[in-house]
Amino acid sequence: MVFIDCFGVTYTKSANKYIRILERASGGFWQENTCPSTGVGTDQSAWKHILPFFMRDYRVLRYDLVCAGSVNPYYFNFRRYTTLDAYVDDLVDIFDALGVDRCAYVGHYVSAMIGILASIRCPELFTKLIFIGASPRFLNDVDYHGGFEQGEIERVFLAMEANYKAWVNGFAPLAVGANVLTAVRKFSRTSFNMRPNITLFVSRTIFNSDLRGVLGLVKVPCSIIQTARDMSVPMSVATYLKNHLGGRSTVHLLDIEGYLPHLSNPDLLAEVLRRALAR
């Protein structure tokens, strides 16, 4: 299983690109690889309460997105990471470096989009894709409700530029969406760990992305995990994904709020992940 959110310990250089590889599980025997990956504003600590449910049965591969606050900002190349394809390159290179030839991939937020693109490029690497809070496009369009108007997003960017600390303090409780103060503090801490200019740059990349046209090329089985009340991803997006992905897909609705269930309700998310992995 590959939980991709953000984990890491060492750097390797592959094809002239620096990749941060977090931790490779060692010892024991696992029937399947799993890879979890995080969204913007989080790091490896986001999976802390999820991983114990899977370490016995899976070889868990974890890594940091290069934009994560836990990664030395020196490695973030503003010229290179202008599209999500560069993150896909990193993921495929990591699999190659670790000799991973098949895995189940768990992607949160932008990492779900990275998983979609990676599965189109290298479908043989993935047994299944599991998305948490995934969206192929965050902006509204004709006959598509992504959740945001362009003007709303621009105001968010202006707020981030004007006072990043104030923006994080206001955004964190909305993102967590539940009265879980420990989760709000954790998300605030990992968001503050990111350099504001990197957060803004990556956010612009995400909100300018539109993967709707390639969803039909995804043939790997997909599980879509969606919370009932998510300020960033409305329920209609999960339905859109199910209707437009090219392979078999299922939707798992969590009757909670917020787009960070691995922080706000890890026990519930772990239960749903187990069912999704067993399908």
Side-chain angles (χ1 to χ4, degrees), residues 83-88 91-92 110-123 126 129 131 209-211 214 218:
T83 71
L84 298 181
D85 290 313
Y87 299 93
V88 176
L91 177 60
V92 173
V110 65
S111 287
M113 301 158 73
I114 294 167
I116 285 173
L117 293 173
S119 77
I120 294 171
R121 186 188 301 182
C122 304
F126 302 93
L129 302 175
F131 306 138
S209 296
D210 187 349
L211 272 59
V214 302
V218 179

Side-chain angles (χ1 to χ4, degrees), residues 7-12 19-24 44 62-64 70:
F7 301 61
V9 256
T10 59
Y11 287 92
T12 63
I19 300 169
R20 187 172 193 210
I21 299 176
L22 264 92
E23 202 177 314
R24 186 175 183 181
Q44 60 176 318
R62 302 166 291 166
Y63 79 96
D64 271 322
S70 52

Side-chain angles (χ1 to χ4, degrees), residues 38-80:
T38 59
V40 174
T42 55
D43 61 23
Q44 60 176 318
S45 62
W47 297 111
K48 178 180 177 181
H49 299 294
I50 296 290
L51 293 179
F53 291 93
F54 301 97
M55 294 296 287
R56 186 187 66 181
D57 300 315
Y58 296 91
R59 183 175 63 156
V60 180
L61 310 177
R62 302 166 291 166
Y63 79 96
D64 271 322
L65 297 180
V66 71
C67 59
S70 52
V71 176
N72 187 331
Y74 167 81
Y75 294 103
F76 189 84
N77 187 325
F78 287 90
R79 290 190 299 273
R80 178 167 181 255

Side-chain angles (χ1 to χ4, degrees), residues 137-257:
R137 176 182 167 95
F138 288 92
L139 293 175
N140 297 331
D141 200 0
V142 178
D143 298 326
Y144 176 79
H145 180 58
F148 297 92
E149 295 293 340
Q150 184 68 53
E152 293 177 294
I153 293 301
E154 291 302 327
R155 287 192 290 275
V156 170
F157 295 156
L158 287 173
M160 292 170 71
E161 285 184 288
N163 190 328
Y164 184 70
K165 181 178 181 180
W167 175 79
V168 170
N169 286 332
F171 176 66
L174 297 175
V176 174
N179 189 24
V180 185
L181 295 181
T182 55
V184 173
R185 285 196 294 267
K186 286 178 182 177
F187 182 62
S188 298
R189 175 180 56 79
T190 53
S191 294
F192 283 133
N193 286 342
M194 292 184 67
R195 266 186 19 190
N197 62 330
I198 292 179
T199 304
L200 179 61
F201 185 87
V202 174
S203 297
R204 287 189 181 278
T205 299
I206 293 170
F207 280 101
N208 285 325
S209 296
D210 187 349
L211 272 59
R212 291 176 298 169
V214 302
L215 295 178
L217 301 177
V218 179
K219 305 303 182 183
V220 177
C222 297
S223 291
I224 304 156
I225 299 175
Q226 174 70 36
T227 64
R229 296 170 296 282
D230 183 339
M231 65 163 290
S232 298
V233 183
M235 187 62 203
S236 58
V237 172
T239 303
Y240 185 93
L241 283 169
K242 177 174 173 54
N243 293 338
H244 290 83
L245 286 164
R248 175 173 56 86
S249 62
T250 55
V251 175
H252 306 266
L253 180 63
L254 305 183
D255 190 19
I256 58 175
E257 58 181 323

Side-chain angles (χ1 to χ4, degrees), residues 90-119:
D90 289 351
L91 177 60
V92 173
D93 283 347
I94 288 171
F95 285 169
D96 181 62
L98 295 180
V100 176
D101 55 6
R102 296 282 279 171
C103 77
Y105 177 96
V106 182
H108 171 244
Y109 197 57
V110 65
S111 287
M113 301 158 73
I114 294 167
I116 285 173
L117 293 173
S119 77

